[in-house]
Amino acid sequence: MPSKPTAGRVAVWRGLKKAGAAYVQDSVCVVPDTQRLRNELAPALERIGSGGGTYHLLPLRKLPEAEEAKLVDLFVAQSAKHYDEIVENCEVNFAKEIEFETFRQNFTYEEAEEIRMEFEKIGTWYERVVERDWFGAPNREEAFGWLRRCEAMLEEFEARVFTLHAQEASEEEPALTLLLPPAEAQA
């Protein structure tokens, strides 16, 4: 891609990273050769062509064992890094957010919804990394475990929100009193 404007280069880089490409060096990346990935690469390749850039799509059929191992290690390291980032996000951001809102006693439906949306973003991120974890990074289970912990924290927070609001609603309901005329007036 031409160096200017940078928006085109960044868009191509994002598209390739989203497809799961691992960079061997600047402007040289590899992906497993599957129809699904070829389809995912198509928009990035189209952007390169329409942006005045050039590319070479070179299938690698049989690599020497040592070179193949290097590429596999590169993909595993990339996935492992993403799983580490998910764990860090769960530990540092998500758990601390729930802890902070609990400390503030901020048990509102709005806060519960905001935290639920954050959890869903982490879950989507995890699913995307799993889709690109072609060689089984060793820390996938740790990330999954943190995702389950976050889900449990969220469910506990939501339960407190619903319990608190149910209590407030029952306290606010006016008591109904039935006034009957005295018994002799009914006769």
Side-chain angles (χ1 to χ4, degrees), residues 147-180:
L147 204 58
R148 295 291 63 95
R149 280 185 226 132
C150 287
E151 185 174 38
M153 286 185 267
L154 172 61
E155 288 173 357
E156 182 180 321
F157 186 85
E158 288 174 335
R160 290 182 79 175
V161 168
F162 294 125
T163 300
L164 180 68
H165 284 277
Q167 288 171 349
E168 288 174 357
S170 68
E171 291 170 4
E172 292 174 4
E173 289 180 10
L176 297 177
T177 305
L178 182 59
L179 297 175
L180 296 174

Side-chain angles (χ1 to χ4, degrees), residues 82-83 85-87 89-90 94 114-132 140 143-151 154:
H82 291 298
Y83 289 131
E85 290 170 353
I86 290 168
V87 168
N89 190 279
C90 288
F94 191 85
E114 186 178 308
I115 294 171
R116 164 89 33 207
M117 288 171 42
E118 184 61 31
F119 173 74
E120 289 172 0
K121 284 194 317 192
I122 297 169
T124 300
W125 179 16
Y126 174 80
E127 289 169 8
R128 201 170 59 238
V129 174
V130 167
E131 285 178 6
R132 305 294 186 246
R140 178 192 291 195
F144 182 74
W146 267 101
L147 204 58
R148 295 291 63 95
R149 280 185 226 132
C150 287
E151 185 174 38
L154 172 61

Side-chain angles (χ1 to χ4, degrees), residues 62-73:
K62 184 68 177 144
L63 295 173
E65 206 171 290
E67 290 305 313
E68 187 172 323
K70 286 180 194 176
L71 289 178
V72 168
D73 288 347

Side-chain angles (χ1 to χ4, degrees), residues 72-88 125-126 129-130 132-143:
V72 168
D73 288 347
L74 184 64
F75 281 111
V76 169
Q78 179 172 278
S79 294
K81 180 180 178 218
H82 291 298
Y83 289 131
D84 284 343
E85 290 170 353
I86 290 168
V87 168
E88 181 179 342
W125 179 16
Y126 174 80
V129 174
V130 167
R132 305 294 186 246
D133 184 9
W134 297 293
F135 302 101
N139 53 347
R140 178 192 291 195
E141 290 304 314
E142 179 186 9

Side-chain angles (χ1 to χ4, degrees), residues 34-100:
T34 67
Q35 184 60 47
R36 183 170 154 218
L37 284 173
R38 278 188 239 121
N39 293 341
E40 287 186 44
L41 289 175
L45 299 179
E46 185 177 312
R47 179 108 192 208
I48 291 170
S50 68
T54 58
Y55 66 88
H56 300 281
L57 193 57
L58 306 171
L60 301 174
R61 296 291 173 223
K62 184 68 177 144
L63 295 173
E65 206 171 290
E67 290 305 313
E68 187 172 323
K70 286 180 194 176
L71 289 178
V72 168
D73 288 347
L74 184 64
F75 281 111
V76 169
Q78 179 172 278
S79 294
K81 180 180 178 218
H82 291 298
Y83 289 131
D84 284 343
E85 290 170 353
I86 290 168
V87 168
E88 181 179 342
N89 190 279
C90 288
E91 280 181 310
V92 175
N93 298 335
F94 191 85
K96 297 297 182 200
E97 175 71 14
I98 287 183
E99 183 180 301
F100 180 68

